[in-house]
């Protein structure tokens, strides 16, 4: 036992796309008629009564449905995987299921029914997909560039141009600015990666989440890399100003190669401390304290005020 669920129709008539109210009501009434045919007679009577209020002629239903363009795909949900596998096997043995002069082929879906994104089940051309992918790449590149040059570059300039002579350390303002640079960069890339994953138009939430995680992982890797580069030069300036030396008494300012500098204990300790500051509170505390306000409480209050303003 299973219920065939056709994907959302691809292209509807020009009038529906233009938002003409009368044609939209006719299409909606046509779908209500189809839905009523799948349920009880009582439901059908209610739908028929609702259709009469719209002034729709029942003779138009067939023409409306035939004018719709669908994707050529449908999802059938079975009670168990064993039933699904049996149906796929029988379809393969019979060469498909005959339907209006065509053969329908069954394939086992690699997603769960709950993960199907029905709004994305539309007819898509290669040009449409190429435009979405190119648009996502451009949006991702612009967001990364804006974050690097708009947020991180000013912060890096201030940090690297500071005076660290006589062992002076970064001020509290610089540390606070670092926290907000990390939080702002993470929030920007959260939003951008989520929007790109949505705009690509995956039919499965699983594939959408895979792309989101890949994009955000790349952004986080770049974030950490930039933090380590800035921290390296900041720590080197601070340690040289404090007169630190290597284990054999050689002044750190006389060490000229990157490897030799990086392997010194003082540099290792300073980089480790900055990595800890990057992780906590910048990444694992502050964003999670802000998130409930920014994503739940704030939108709820705004929507409540909007509804109140219309009453």
């Amino acid at each position: 036992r299973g219920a065939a669920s056709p994907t959302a129709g691809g292209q509807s008539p020009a009038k529906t796309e233009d938002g003409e109210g009368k044609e939209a009501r006719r299409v909606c009434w046509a779908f209500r008629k189809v839905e009523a045919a799948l349920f009880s007679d009582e439901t059908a009577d209610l739908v028929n009564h609702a259709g009469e209020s719209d002034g729709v002629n029942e003779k138009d239903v067939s023409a409306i449905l035939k004018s719709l363009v669908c994707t050529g795909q449908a999802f059938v949900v079975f009670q168990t995987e064993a039933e699904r596998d049996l149906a796929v096997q029988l379809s393969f043995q019979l060469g498909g299921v005959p339907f209006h002069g065509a053969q329908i082929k069954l394939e086992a879906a690699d997603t769960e029914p709950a993960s199907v994104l029905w709004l994305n089940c539309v007819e898509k051309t290669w040009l449409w997909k190429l435009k979405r992918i190119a648009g996502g790449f451009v949006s991702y590149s612009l967001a990364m560039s804006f974050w690097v040059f708009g947020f991180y570059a000013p912060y890096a300039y201030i940090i690297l141009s500071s005076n660290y002579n006589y062992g002076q350390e970064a001020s509290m303002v610089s540390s606070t600015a670092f926290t907000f640079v990390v939080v702002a960069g993470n929030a920007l890339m959260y939003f951008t990666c989520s929007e790109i994953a949505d705009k690509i138009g995956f039919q499965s939430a699983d594939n959408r989440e895979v792309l989101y995680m890949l994009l955000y992982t790349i952004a986080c890797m770049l974030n950490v890399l930039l933090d380590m580069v800035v921290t390296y030069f900041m720590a080197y300036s601070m340690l040289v100003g404090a007169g630190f030396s290597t284990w054999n008494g050689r002044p750190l300012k006389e060490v000229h190669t990157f490897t030799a500098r990086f392997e010194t204990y003082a540099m290792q300790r300073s980089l480790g401390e900055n990595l800890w500051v990057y992780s906590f509170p910048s990444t694992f505390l502050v964003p999670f304290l802000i998130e409930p306000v920014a994503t739940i409480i704030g939108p709820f209050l705004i929507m409540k005020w909007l509804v109140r303003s219309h009453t």
Side-chain angles (χ1 to χ4, degrees):
R1 289 160 49 183
S5 300
T7 56
Q11 300 175 354
S12 55
K15 290 185 177 180
T16 302
E17 293 179 353
D18 294 338
E20 301 240 355
K22 181 178 179 181
E23 189 66 19
R25 288 196 302 270
R26 294 173 63 188
V27 173
C28 292
W29 183 75
F31 277 112
R32 290 201 301 268
K33 294 289 289 185
V34 174
E35 183 180 22
L38 301 177
F39 296 97
S40 63
D41 293 335
E42 181 181 358
T43 306
D45 293 336
L46 294 175
V47 172
N48 287 332
H49 180 72
E52 292 174 359
S53 62
D54 292 335
V56 179
N57 190 345
E58 188 172 352
K59 296 181 180 179
D60 297 334
V61 175
S62 178
I64 294 174
L65 294 178
K66 290 181 179 179
S67 64
L68 299 177
V69 179
C70 51
T71 64
Q73 284 185 324
F75 289 94
V76 181
V77 182
F78 295 91
Q79 296 294 335
T80 63
E81 290 189 6
E83 294 179 358
R84 180 204 64 184
D85 295 339
L86 178 60
V88 172
Q89 182 180 2
L90 292 175
S91 173
F92 177 77
Q93 294 175 353
L94 298 174
V97 180
F99 181 78
H100 287 273
Q103 294 295 115
I104 299 179
K105 297 181 180 179
L106 298 183
E107 296 179 356
D110 56 356
T111 58
E112 294 295 326
S115 67
V116 177
L117 302 176
W118 299 105
L119 292 177
N120 294 335
C121 295
V122 297
E123 189 176 17
K124 304 170 185 176
T125 63
W126 282 106
L127 180 60
W128 185 92
K129 295 179 181 179
L130 183 62
K131 288 182 178 179
R132 288 301 179 97
I133 294 174
F137 177 78
V138 172
S139 300
Y140 187 76
S141 301
L142 290 176
M144 291 288 288
S145 300
F146 176 74
W147 171 65
V148 171
F149 296 105
F151 286 89
Y152 210 90
Y155 163 77
Y157 175 78
I158 295 173
I159 290 296
L160 297 179
S161 61
S162 300
N163 183 12
Y164 298 106
N165 293 332
Y166 309 107
Q168 295 181 8
E169 297 183 358
S171 63
M172 180 63 67
V173 176
S174 299
S175 302
T176 305
F178 173 76
T179 298
F180 282 100
V181 165
V182 173
V183 171
N186 289 343
L188 175 64
M189 296 316 299
Y190 280 146
F191 176 77
T192 303
C193 294
S194 178
E195 286 297 310
I196 292 174
D198 289 335
K199 296 296 183 182
I200 293 297
F202 289 110
Q203 292 187 0
S204 168
D206 298 337
N207 295 332
R208 185 262 182 201
E209 292 299 324
V210 169
L211 177 62
Y212 172 77
M213 290 302 301
L214 288 175
L215 293 176
Y216 186 68
T217 300
I218 295 173
C220 286
M221 291 176 62
L222 177 61
N223 192 351
V224 174
L225 178 62
L226 290 175
D227 290 336
M228 291 296 101
V229 171
V230 173
T231 301
Y232 171 81
F233 287 105
M234 181 183 70
Y236 177 75
S237 300
M238 292 173 57
L239 296 175
V240 169
F244 273 74
S245 303
T246 61
W247 64 274
N248 57 0
R250 183 182 179 185
L252 188 60
K253 64 180 180 180
E254 298 180 3
V255 179
H256 301 294
T257 62
F258 168 78
T259 303
R261 292 177 182 175
F262 185 79
E263 290 179 349
T264 60
Y265 168 75
M267 288 293 293
Q268 293 280 329
R269 185 187 67 179
S270 182
L271 291 174
E273 290 177 351
N274 190 77
L275 182 60
W276 164 254
V277 173
Y278 169 80
S279 301
F280 185 90
S282 301
T283 300
F284 299 130
L285 178 62
V286 175
F288 294 98
L289 295 178
I290 298 176
E291 185 177 11
V293 178
T295 62
I296 299 176
I297 300 176
F300 170 75
L301 293 177
I302 293 174
M303 294 300 105
K304 185 175 70 172
W305 292 333
L306 286 175
V307 172
R308 180 184 299 174
S309 66
H310 291 285
T311 58

